[in-house]
Amino acid sequence: MRKISFFAAVGLLCASSLMAESYVVDASHSSVGFGVKHMSVSNVKGNFNKFSGTLDVEGKKITALEGEVQISSINTNSDGRDKHLNAPDFFDSKKFPKATLSLVKHNGKKLEANITMRGITKKVNFEVELNGPVKHPKTNKDIIAVTLEGKLNRKDFDIGTDTANVMVSDNVEIKIELEALAK
């Protein structure tokens, strides 16, 4: 009877380690950023100050990932530019207040996600790095970190379609760095 109980306990421990762990993004230790060429020479960086997300991780595989940014929180260190990016010819943040990201699949160092902006959804490929989990010394909860790097074409989402590629590059580099705490 003891052998059965021991093996049952070992089986439960193994099964629980294969279950996905759910995490919530800690925005104070995360960033959602982008970079775009201006006049074909300089790289202008920006980020979104308001965002949220959740993810599930099983071992070293992301099995679910959902996130959203508040478009009006865009920050490029230029109030005039930020106001223009929120206008109807770019993000149109009054009509489309958020952009979302949703996992399609994760395989090793590659992650595919659906990104929706201005009501248009497109698949975007990312290089992914997953670190952790580690135990937070104060909460004793698991913490993980995820870095996503990819590119998208802004015109695929009807963003700035009347602005020439030479003025603002069509290609936008995306870098998302997330720290997330187990639920």
Side-chain angles (χ1 to χ4, degrees):
M1 186 68 164
R2 283 187 170 183
K3 285 183 183 179
I4 292 172
S5 296
F6 173 75
F7 289 120
V10 170
L12 284 173
L13 285 173
C14 290
S16 67
S17 69
L18 295 176
M19 294 173 52
E21 179 88 39
S22 296
Y23 294 87
V24 176
V25 171
D26 176 357
S28 68
H29 292 101
S30 302
S31 63
V32 177
F34 60 89
V36 64
K37 288 280 187 197
H38 178 250
M39 300 295 294
S40 301
V41 292
S42 65
N43 196 24
V44 175
K45 302 255 183 202
N47 63 343
F48 293 93
N49 292 328
K50 294 182 182 176
F51 56 90
S52 61
T54 60
L55 62 151
D56 292 347
V57 176
E58 189 173 312
K60 287 293 184 185
K61 184 172 182 166
I62 299 170
T63 58
L65 174 60
E66 300 290 331
E68 75 175 42
V69 298
Q70 298 301 314
I71 296 297
S72 63
S73 75
I74 197 165
N75 179 3
T76 63
N77 294 317
S78 168
D79 291 340
R81 181 173 44 228
D82 296 345
K83 184 177 178 181
H84 186 203
L85 289 171
N86 276 290
D89 61 326
F90 273 85
F91 282 103
D92 198 0
S93 64
K94 288 192 192 255
K95 187 173 179 182
F96 304 101
K98 64 183 177 180
T100 61
L101 178 145
S102 179
L103 176 72
V104 173
K105 64 182 175 182
H106 173 218
N107 187 4
K109 297 280 186 187
K110 304 286 184 190
L111 184 139
E112 185 178 312
N114 283 326
I115 291 186
T116 302
M117 291 187 285
R118 291 183 57 106
I120 299 168
T121 301
K122 299 284 183 182
K123 285 187 175 43
V124 176
N125 295 308
F126 293 93
E127 295 289 323
V128 62
E129 181 181 340
L130 175 62
N131 292 306
V134 298
K135 291 283 183 202
H136 190 287
K138 292 183 180 178
T139 66
N140 205 33
K141 289 186 175 184
D142 283 347
I143 294 177
I144 60 164
V146 177
T147 301
L148 301 173
E149 294 186 69
K151 291 182 183 179
L152 60 81
N153 186 313
R154 66 183 170 85
K155 290 184 178 173
D156 287 347
F157 298 92
D158 289 341
I159 296 171
T161 55
D162 292 336
T163 302
N165 184 47
V166 71
M167 290 293 294
V168 176
S169 176
D170 292 349
N171 294 315
V172 180
E173 294 182 13
I174 307 295
K175 186 166 186 181
I176 302 170
E177 297 189 75
L178 305 173
E179 181 177 298
L181 185 62
K183 289 184 181 179

